[in-house]
């Protein structure tokens, strides 16, 4: 008997037409770390019976599924997560590259996610009704690629024979390709590291309908926050914090021909989100600036994300 091996692990997903009604996944992308779990708490009967025992019965409560995945960001496959967070994709372009502009919608789609744990029949778990609750992008100009970390909640997972979609060959973005444009960053190319956190809190609701799984999963408002680590030769960057500055900021990763690109636009960005932090461990002194996206009509929210890839239809 062949035991489960880590290299066999992969995920597949597809957007659902009806929340919680499973569909067959047709997209997959590489995962470096993460997995799914069944969050089902137990309830115990500790009622006193004149016996020196603390537990007389046990039940499983209602529950849900949770998933967290991380890896390199690939602009076509991984952007399904952006659609899952934002809810609206406006596509433009007559040929490759197509531009997908993700903007905020009050309602977000749900997905069927499948994990392959073993090859063959009944070798996977299916998470129906999955909704994305967060996505973090991070990069380092000195090493590595633009990475992501994303989390989801779903119905209680079930054992299935998972679908086997093919992983498309795509290009990733080196960390040094990240370009930050802002009127406050008067000296170009000073960012050494950065991260952007997109979060929509999720609430799992259980009702009495003879089902252990949630009856629905609601998504809250989006919060956008992050930080930049920068080199500096004057105090203008510190003044962004001291003066409670709000201004536009664009962070872009672009590569190749046809172009592959992801662009984060915050037309109203607040640089006073947290006190600056200083790194004096090396020869250069580096400063970390924290920011938060503010709602504005231009972005139809607190951030807008545009992706260029080969996908000719909307997500």
């Amino acid at each position: 008997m062949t035991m489960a091996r880590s290299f066999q692990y992969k995920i597949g997903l597809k957007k659902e037409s009806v929340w919680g009604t499973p569909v067959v996944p047709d997209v997959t992308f590489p995962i470096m770390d993460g997995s799914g779990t069944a969050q089902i708490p137990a309830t115990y009967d500790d009622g006193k019976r004149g016996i020196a025992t603390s537990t007389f019965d046990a039940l499983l409560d209602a529950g849900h599924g949770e998933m967290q995945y991380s890896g390199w960001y690939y602009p076509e496959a991984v952007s399904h997560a952006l659609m899952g967070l934002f809810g609206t994709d406006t596509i433009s372009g007559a040929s490759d590259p197509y531009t997908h502009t993700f903007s905020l919608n009050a309602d977000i789609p749900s997905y069927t996610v499948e994990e392959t744990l073993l090859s063959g029949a009944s070798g996977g778990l299916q998470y129906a009704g999955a909704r994305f609750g967060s996505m973090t992008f991070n990069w380092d100009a000195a090493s590595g690629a633009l990475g992501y970390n994303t989390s989801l909640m779903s119905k209680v997972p079930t054992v299935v024979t998972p679908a086997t979609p093919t992983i498309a060959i795509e290009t990733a973005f080196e960390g040094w390709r990240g370009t930050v444009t802002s009127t406050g960053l008067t000296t170009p190319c000073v960012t050494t590291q950065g991260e952007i956190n997109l979060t929509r809190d999720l609430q799992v609701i259980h009702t009495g309908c003879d089902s252990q799984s949630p009856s629905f999963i609601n998504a809250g408002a989006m919060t956008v926050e992050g930080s930049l680590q920068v080199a500096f030769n004057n105090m203008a960057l510190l003044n962004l914090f001291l003066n409670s500055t709000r201004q536009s900021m664009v962070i872009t990763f672009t590569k190749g021909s046809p172009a592959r690109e992801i662009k984060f636009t915050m037309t109203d960005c607040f640089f006073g989100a947290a006190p600056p932090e200083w790194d004096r461990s090396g020869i250069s002194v580096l400063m970390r600036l924290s920011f938060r996206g503010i709602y504005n009509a231009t972005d139809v929210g607190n951030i807008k994300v545009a992706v260029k890839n080969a996908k000719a239809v909307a997500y």
Side-chain angles (χ1 to χ4, degrees):
M1 177 184 294
T2 301
M3 308 300 287
R5 293 169 292 185
S6 61
F7 69 80
Q8 293 177 304
Y9 181 82
K10 69 176 182 179
I11 68 164
L13 81 165
K14 185 174 183 178
K15 187 166 63 173
E16 297 172 345
S17 299
V18 178
W19 181 82
T21 300
V23 292
V24 178
D26 58 3
V27 173
T28 186
F29 46 85
I31 300 297
M32 286 191 171
D33 195 13
S35 64
T37 58
Q39 298 290 335
I40 309 175
T43 297
Y44 300 100
D45 178 5
D46 293 329
K48 295 177 176 56
R49 291 166 167 81
I51 302 171
T53 298
S54 63
T55 304
F56 293 90
D57 200 357
L59 300 172
L60 286 178
D61 292 338
H64 65 278
E66 292 187 2
M67 294 146 279
Q68 184 170 342
Y69 305 115
S70 63
W72 285 8
Y73 171 74
Y74 290 95
E76 183 170 335
V78 183
S79 292
H80 284 273
L82 286 170
M83 177 61 186
L85 267 179
F86 282 87
T88 298
D89 171 23
T90 303
I91 186 172
S92 59
S95 61
D96 186 3
Y98 301 92
T99 299
H100 298 265
T101 302
F102 298 98
S103 56
L104 197 59
N105 195 315
D107 298 315
I108 58 175
S110 63
Y111 295 80
T112 296
V113 179
E114 290 182 354
E115 294 182 326
T116 298
L117 302 172
L118 287 165
S119 61
S122 301
L125 292 174
Q126 182 185 81
Y127 301 79
R131 286 204 158 120
F132 286 90
S134 70
M135 191 169 191
T136 296
F137 294 87
N138 53 75
W139 71 97
D140 187 321
S143 64
L146 173 65
Y148 76 92
N149 186 304
T150 190
S151 64
L152 307 90
M153 286 185 176
S154 72
K155 288 186 169 184
V156 173
T158 59
V159 175
V160 297
T161 300
T164 57
T166 301
I167 293 180
I169 297 175
E170 291 194 70
T171 184
F173 299 102
E174 299 89 344
W176 52 261
R177 292 188 183 272
T179 302
V180 180
T181 304
S182 175
T183 53
L185 300 175
T186 54
T187 303
C189 300
V190 295
T191 303
T192 62
Q193 296 176 355
E195 69 173 28
I196 304 171
N197 305 305
L198 313 175
T199 305
R200 297 186 75 160
D201 289 338
L202 299 176
Q203 183 181 28
V204 173
I205 301 296
H206 293 94
T207 62
C209 57
D210 196 28
S211 173
Q212 194 176 25
S213 278
S215 297
F216 49 92
I217 299 174
N218 274 343
M222 180 177 286
T223 299
V224 180
E225 55 190 0
S227 66
L228 302 173
Q229 186 183 69
V230 295
F232 61 98
N233 60 6
N234 59 61
M235 302 307 288
L237 293 174
L238 178 61
N239 285 332
L240 293 179
F241 168 74
L242 295 176
N243 298 333
S244 187
T245 303
R246 290 168 61 170
Q247 60 191 22
S248 65
M249 181 168 69
V250 178
I251 301 173
T252 306
F253 289 81
T254 188
K255 180 179 182 179
S257 180
R260 299 294 178 256
E261 182 177 283
I262 183 168
K263 179 184 290 186
F264 306 89
T265 300
M266 284 165 280
T267 301
D268 192 349
C269 185
F270 176 57
F271 282 94
E277 298 177 3
W278 309 90
D279 182 355
R280 303 179 180 86
S281 61
I283 295 174
S284 298
V285 178
L286 302 174
M287 177 170 56
R288 184 168 292 276
L289 277 172
S290 296
F291 59 83
R292 191 172 179 118
I294 306 294
Y295 172 83
N296 62 93
T298 301
D299 298 338
V300 197
N302 41 13
I303 192 171
K304 180 169 59 179
V305 181
V307 174
K308 290 183 180 179
N309 59 34
K311 187 172 172 61
V313 296
Y315 282 87

